[in-house]
Amino acid sequence: GNSVTQMEGPVTLSEEAFLTINCTYTATGYPSLFWYVQYPGEGLQLLLKATKADDKGSNKGFEATYRKETTSFHLEKGSVQVSDSAVYFCALINNAGNMLTFGGGTRLMVKP
Amino acid sequence: GAVVSQHPSRVICKSGTSVKIECRSLDFQATTMFWYRQFPKQSLMLMATSNEGSKATYEQGVEKDKFLINHASLTLSTLTVTSAHPEDSSFYICSAPTGGGKLFFGSGTQLSVL
């Protein structure tokens, strides 16, 4: 079956540091890939997505590139802010669009 | 680790009937649970936040009377799709946060309305 593996947290960074959260996946065919974010006390929100190989999703300074050759979708941000402190989830949807698989989540803590 | 159980995994019903989906936190208490809907080939849409002991908070555009949410206890939230129609056919998924700040997802319910 499909699976998503993301790096264990928590990740603790100082403000303005560079962020990378690794995500790799196992899936048949050509899934769509997503990063979701959950801020404290809130539900899940879509952060960015990519639907085919070499696509780059971007939003709010975050980026992730769909790398089929390495089955990865690593999340990056050049300069994090305290307000970026949240839990980040990598996910994929299969070809048929009817099965959603999440990674375990990575907590990011940004200190001033 | 924490587990969220969602039932049923698949349901097929006739138009006009109501369908109840259960979401249970098996080894932790959840005062809040989230309900999402996923449209084909698209991302999840947050529908509502259920709160134990009080009314659910619905996202804009979600019909409260169509999607009834009840958070009956610290381990159970239910979503009832009332008078279901074919356009309600979708994949519904719940999640529950732990006190430690992690979020766990149910396995989802595929609803097909004929």
Side-chain angles (χ1 to χ4, degrees), chain A residues 6-99:
Chain A
Q6 58 184 107
M7 62 190 294
E8 291 283 333
V11 173
T12 303
L13 296 173
S14 297
E15 207 164 20
E16 299 184 1
F18 185 87
L19 168 72
T20 300
I21 300 178
N22 290 337
C23 171
T24 56
Y25 67 91
T26 303
T28 55
Y30 301 90
S32 296
L33 303 175
F34 302 85
W35 275 100
Y36 288 87
V37 58
Q38 181 207 4
Y39 297 103
E42 299 182 16
L44 211 59
Q45 300 176 29
L46 177 66
L47 181 60
L48 54 85
K49 66 179 181 180
T51 57
K52 61 182 187 296
D54 300 324
D55 268 3
K56 177 186 284 187
S58 61
N59 185 28
K60 299 182 180 179
F62 291 90
E63 292 183 342
T65 301
Y66 189 154
R67 301 286 188 201
K68 191 161 180 65
E69 64 275 15
T70 55
T71 61
S72 64
F73 193 55
H74 304 321
L75 182 68
E76 297 182 335
K77 186 173 185 179
S79 176
V80 294
Q81 305 299 313
V82 173
S83 57
D84 294 326
S85 298
V87 182
Y88 293 81
F89 293 87
C90 186
L92 69 84
I93 292 179
N94 64 344
N95 269 5
N98 61 1
M99 185 179 299

Side-chain angles (χ1 to χ4, degrees), chain A residues 36 42-44 93 95 97 107, chain B residues 36 38 41-44 101:
Chain A
Y36 288 87
E42 299 182 16
L44 211 59
I93 292 179
N95 269 5
R107 174 175 292 281
Chain B
Y36 307 85
Q38 181 224 318
K41 302 249 179 189
Q42 297 184 34
S43 57
L44 286 178

